[in-house]
């Protein structure tokens, strides 16, 4: 019986959902939105699953899908803001502590979505530049330049302060 | 402080994990994903529909419009069971396992342990509900798909690139032909599956586990071509000849033909699921208003070309022998052309989770399946189950 495809899909989803939820949570900063992102990703994954055997690196492929869902969601979000006139998030307080999670999240949220994804994948998911480039389907050079632009913008938003290391120093 | 260090320190407050349990609905993902497949595959399919309508007129509609002809000699259906009891199949030392296939009598069942992506699996074989093989496969994690009445099983490695395997006498070995999947085996030892040649999947038949693969002829090669099952008489069902949804048959004498859709309004295809009770069970693809598509369950008898509609199921209800989705509340299977409700496995229901039915014996007295988390909860352990009926 041709049940391998469904069975393999279920095994993949059950095995990798915790990792996908974590990345989705780091991208979105919101637990409910993270589950929505994963739900849409595994739906699209099921639609393409019959041909997944031709993919060499399934995990990278699925993470790519997840990031694309996140970027699409961001685009739809901007469209909704324009259509319904919802108030944009207030700018972060430049004087607030850099260790304050909402402050950093709000600052990150002001970056272009692709730069957000690059920074999250590199600095929160600890992925090397090459892996981020594969997930975003771009060159390593693009990842580096997006990283630089993103951090530069964050510096402008949050002020030229330097976050403290765990030992308390900031040099 | 360089950029890398600055970035890591700056974003550090955002690190963390989602605290609550997942709100993910795997059954819904499969339902919606299936609809997406249909939308993609059938978009722009007008020409195919026209061919379909012409092809139908030959076999099936002729039978419908000539009532005086004697009815074809159809395979007898099994009697409906009166009652069933469910047991958890033994797991050996493993915390979880799933049963994924069985022989037509329901005597042999095959599955694998720890059915989670990335974990090592052992091949498990049960006979009459007893675990008779628990064999790790060095270097590979195999997902098993089918087993025959001699206890020979087939499966596929779970890490890409996939390879087709046969499991017999306690050992697993690769089938010839390279990258692909082994999907089904019959009691004569004929194995069917697909091999990957570039972007194209080629349906193949291995006459024996040691034989070279023989490509099955297809009208026009596509990445949607695949086989679904092989009957005891050697007839192979699958899909070929265009977008997914074009049912296809290969006969032991080398002939082959498309399965025209059933004679129902707006039917444009048929997706076979499995051979059971002498019929091919599957889903007719129906073109709906606005370009959307839906499915209707049908069974097809390939010798006479007879179609029978089946009681409408929800998309979550499995067809016999094919876990076409998850069954969360009511466990129903097809027996002949009627539905039969299996008793639930209470300990699993307490978790509010789901079931997959993997095998129905040809006498409708044994059904096998496993529990599965409907929310992809990583703490859930799949349990293999056997229903014995009278």
């Amino acid at each position: 019986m041709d049940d391998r495809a469904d069975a393999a899909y279920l095994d993949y989803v059950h095995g990798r959902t915790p990792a996908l939820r974590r990345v989705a949570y780091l991208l979105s900063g919101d637990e409910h939105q993270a589950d929505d992102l994963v739900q849409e990703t595994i739906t699209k994954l099921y639609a393409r699953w019959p041909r997944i055997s031709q993919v060499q690196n399934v995990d990278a492929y699925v993470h790519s899908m997840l990031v694309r869902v996140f970027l699409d969601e961001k685009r739809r979000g901007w469209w909704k803001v324009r259509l319904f006139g919802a108030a944009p998030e207030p700018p972060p307080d430049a004087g607030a502590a850099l260790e304050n999670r909402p402050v950093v999240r709000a600052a990150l949220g002001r970056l272009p979505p692709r730069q957000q994804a690059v920074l999250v994948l590199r600095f929160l998911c600890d992925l090397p530049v090459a892996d981020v480039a594969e997930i975003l389907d771009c060159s390593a050079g693009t990842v580096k330049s997006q990283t630089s632009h993103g951090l530069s913008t964050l510096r402008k938003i949050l002020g030229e302060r330097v976050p403290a290391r765990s030992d308390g120093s900031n040099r | 402080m360089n950029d890398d260090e600055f970035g890591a320190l700056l974003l550090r407050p955002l690190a963390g994990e989602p605290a609550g349990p997942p709100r993910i609905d795997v059954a819904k993902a499969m339902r919606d994903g299936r609809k997406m497949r249909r939308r993609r595959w059938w978009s722009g399919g007008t020409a195919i529909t026209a061919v379909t309508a012409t092809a139908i007129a030959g076999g099936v509609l002729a039978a419908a419009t000539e009532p005086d002809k004697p009815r074809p000699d159809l395979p007898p259906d099994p009697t409906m069971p009166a009652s069933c009891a469910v047991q958890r199949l033994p797991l050996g030392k493993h915390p979880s396992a799933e049963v994924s296939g069985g022989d037509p009598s329901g005597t042999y069942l095959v599955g694998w342990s720890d059915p989670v992506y990335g974990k090592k699996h052992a091949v498990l074989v049960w006979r009459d509900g007893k675990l008779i093989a628990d064999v790790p496969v060095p270097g590979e994690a195999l997902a098993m798909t089918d087993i025959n009445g001699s206890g020979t099983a087939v499966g596929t490695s779970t890490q890409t690139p996939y390879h087709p395997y046969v499991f017999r006498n306690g050992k697993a070995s690769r089938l010839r032909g390279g990258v692909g999947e082994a999907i089904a085996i019959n009691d004569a030892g004929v194995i069917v599956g697909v091999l990957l040649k570039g972007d194209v999947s080629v349906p193949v038949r291995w006459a024996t586990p040691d034989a070279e693969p023989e490509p099955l002829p297809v009208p026009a090669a596509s990445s949607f071509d695949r086989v679904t099952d092989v009957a005891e008489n050697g007839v192979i069902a699958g899909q070929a000849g265009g977008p997914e949804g074009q049912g296809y048959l290969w006969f032991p004498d080398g002939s082959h033909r498309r399965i025209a859709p059933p004679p129902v309004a707006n039917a444009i295809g048929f997706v076979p699921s499995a051979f059971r009770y002498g019929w091919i069970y599957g889903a007719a693809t129906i073109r709906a208003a606005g370009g959307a598509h839906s499915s209707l369950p049908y069974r097809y008898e390939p010798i006479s070309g007879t179609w029978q509609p089946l009681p409408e199921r929800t998309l979550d209800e499995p067809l016999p022998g094919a876990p076409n989705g998850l069954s969360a509340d009511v466990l129903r299977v097809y027996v002949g052309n009627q539905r039969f409700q299996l008793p639930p496995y209470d300990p699993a229901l307490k978790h509010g989770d789901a079931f997959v039915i993997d095998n129905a014996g040809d006498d409708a007295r044994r059904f096998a399946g496993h529990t599965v988390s409907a929310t992809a909860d990583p703490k859930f352990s799949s349990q293999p189950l056997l229903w014995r009926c009278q």
Side-chain angles (χ1 to χ4, degrees):
Chain A
M1 286 69 59
D2 184 14
D3 53 5
R4 206 206 76 78
D6 275 3
Y9 168 82
L10 287 170
D11 291 349
Y12 184 86
V13 167
H14 287 123
R16 303 305 286 161
T17 291
L20 291 173
R21 283 186 85 216
R22 179 172 177 271
V23 176
Y25 177 68
L26 294 173
L27 283 167
S28 65
D30 177 271
E31 195 162 327
H32 289 299
Q33 200 188 349
D35 279 344
D36 290 344
L37 294 176
V38 173
Q39 181 74 31
E40 190 165 344
T41 302
I42 64 170
T43 300
K44 289 182 171 176
L45 179 64
Y46 186 78
R48 294 170 198 175
W49 193 258
R51 286 186 285 172
I52 207 79
S53 58
Q54 294 165 35
V55 174
Q56 287 297 318
N57 185 345
V58 178
D59 267 342
Y61 180 84
V62 177
H63 279 88
S64 240
M65 290 173 71
L66 176 66
V67 172
R68 226 170 289 142
V69 169
F70 166 74
L71 295 175
D72 288 348
E73 193 55 43
K74 282 282 172 189
R75 270 193 288 276
R76 279 201 290 270
W78 283 114
W79 173 79
K80 279 180 199 163
V81 167
R82 284 203 300 276
L83 189 65
F84 299 113
E89 279 188 24
D93 175 3
L98 291 183
E99 289 71 27
N100 187 323
R101 178 187 167 86
V103 169
V104 180
R105 175 56 69 184
L108 184 69
R110 289 168 69 85
L111 300 185
R114 221 172 153 77
Q115 285 182 20
Q116 291 180 40
V118 167
L119 296 185
V120 166
L121 292 172
R122 283 207 58 195
F123 299 123
L124 288 174
C125 300
D126 291 326
L127 292 178
V129 169
D131 289 5
V132 177
E134 186 179 358
I135 287 172
L136 290 171
D137 194 21
C138 65
S139 69
T142 303
V143 171
K144 287 177 186 168
S145 67
Q146 297 253 357
T147 304
S148 177
H149 289 314
L151 290 176
S152 166
T153 309
L154 285 180
R155 280 191 180 100
K156 283 180 195 157
I157 294 171
L158 294 167
E160 289 294 336
R161 292 170 298 153
V162 177
R165 292 192 176 93
S166 51
D167 62 6
S169 69
N170 56 5
R171 288 179 183 261
Chain B
M1 188 179 284
N2 64 26
D3 261 7
D4 281 0
E5 198 177 358
F6 175 76
L9 284 172
L10 185 67
L11 297 189
R12 188 177 49 194
L14 305 184
E17 306 268 345
R23 288 184 312 118
I24 290 159
D25 186 337
V26 181
K28 183 175 187 305
M30 294 172 79
R31 272 198 310 272
D32 294 348
R34 201 171 287 124
K35 285 180 197 161
M36 288 167 80
R37 281 186 203 173
R38 285 196 210 105
R39 273 202 299 274
R40 189 177 313 131
W41 289 325
W42 289 101
S43 59
T46 315
I48 294 159
T49 312
V51 174
T52 303
T54 311
I56 274 182
V60 183
L61 288 189
T65 51
E66 292 178 44
D68 294 332
K69 271 192 152 185
R71 284 171 164 265
D73 196 10
L74 298 175
D77 281 330
T79 55
M80 197 66 80
S83 63
C84 301
V86 58
Q87 70 170 95
R88 195 188 74 149
L89 288 164
L91 297 173
K93 62 184 185 304
H94 308 286
S96 67
E98 70 180 49
V99 57
S100 52
D103 78 306
S105 71
T107 304
Y108 280 98
L109 299 170
V110 69
W112 68 93
S113 68
D114 306 304
V116 173
Y117 181 83
K119 289 198 173 177
K120 292 198 180 302
H121 314 309
V123 176
L124 305 178
V125 176
W126 296 270
R127 181 178 180 168
D128 290 324
K130 295 189 177 72
L131 186 63
I132 60 166
D134 178 354
V135 180
V137 180
E140 287 279 30
L142 300 188
M144 305 308 293
T145 46
D146 199 9
I147 189 167
N148 69 9
S150 307
T152 301
V154 293
T156 303
S157 55
T158 57
Q159 302 289 329
T160 55
Y162 300 148
H163 283 95
Y165 273 81
V166 60
F167 180 86
R168 53 186 166 162
N169 305 321
K171 285 185 183 168
S173 54
R174 274 190 191 175
L175 290 164
R176 296 171 195 261
V179 176
E181 301 172 38
I183 290 168
I185 182 170
N186 68 7
D187 282 353
V190 175
I191 298 167
V192 295
V194 292
L195 292 175
L196 288 177
K197 303 294 178 194
D199 286 343
V200 171
S201 76
V202 179
V204 294
R205 167 188 188 274
W206 290 268
T208 68
D210 300 310
E212 292 290 336
E214 308 157 34
L216 298 169
V218 295
S222 84
S223 59
F224 301 114
D225 294 347
R226 62 188 295 102
V227 295
T228 300
D229 202 0
V230 56
E232 295 314 310
N233 61 7
V235 178
I236 299 165
Q239 297 173 68
E244 172 134 341
Q246 299 293 301
Y248 215 82
L249 287 172
W250 294 269
F251 295 90
D253 64 2
S255 61
H256 52 99
R257 66 173 170 85
R258 183 170 164 269
I259 305 173
V264 61
N266 300 319
I268 53 176
F270 178 68
V271 180
S273 283
F275 283 103
R276 269 298 172 271
Y277 319 127
W279 296 75
I280 304 170
Y281 286 73
T285 306
I286 310 296
R287 185 195 296 278
H293 295 93
S294 60
S295 286
L296 285 177
Y298 266 82
R299 67 175 185 169
Y300 178 68
E301 202 284 305
I303 307 300
S304 64
T306 304
W307 287 99
Q308 284 187 353
L310 297 167
E312 194 150 0
R313 61 183 178 126
T314 68
L315 272 176
D316 292 345
E317 267 178 55
L319 291 160
N324 252 338
L326 305 176
S327 210
D329 301 321
V330 181
L331 273 165
R332 280 194 290 238
V333 292
Y334 286 115
V335 173
N337 60 358
Q338 300 178 60
R339 285 193 300 196
F340 176 70
Q341 187 168 327
L342 293 170
Y345 176 63
D346 287 334
L349 272 185
K350 283 175 189 163
H351 298 289
D353 271 295
F355 296 87
V356 173
I357 303 296
D358 296 282
N359 191 59
D362 261 347
D363 61 358
R365 291 300 177 268
R366 295 182 190 209
F367 300 88
H370 60 271
T371 60
V372 64
S373 165
T375 59
D377 185 345
K379 296 190 189 89
F380 186 87
S381 294
S382 283
Q383 301 297 315
L385 304 172
L386 172 64
W387 285 263
R388 295 175 195 264
C389 304
Q390 298 178 332

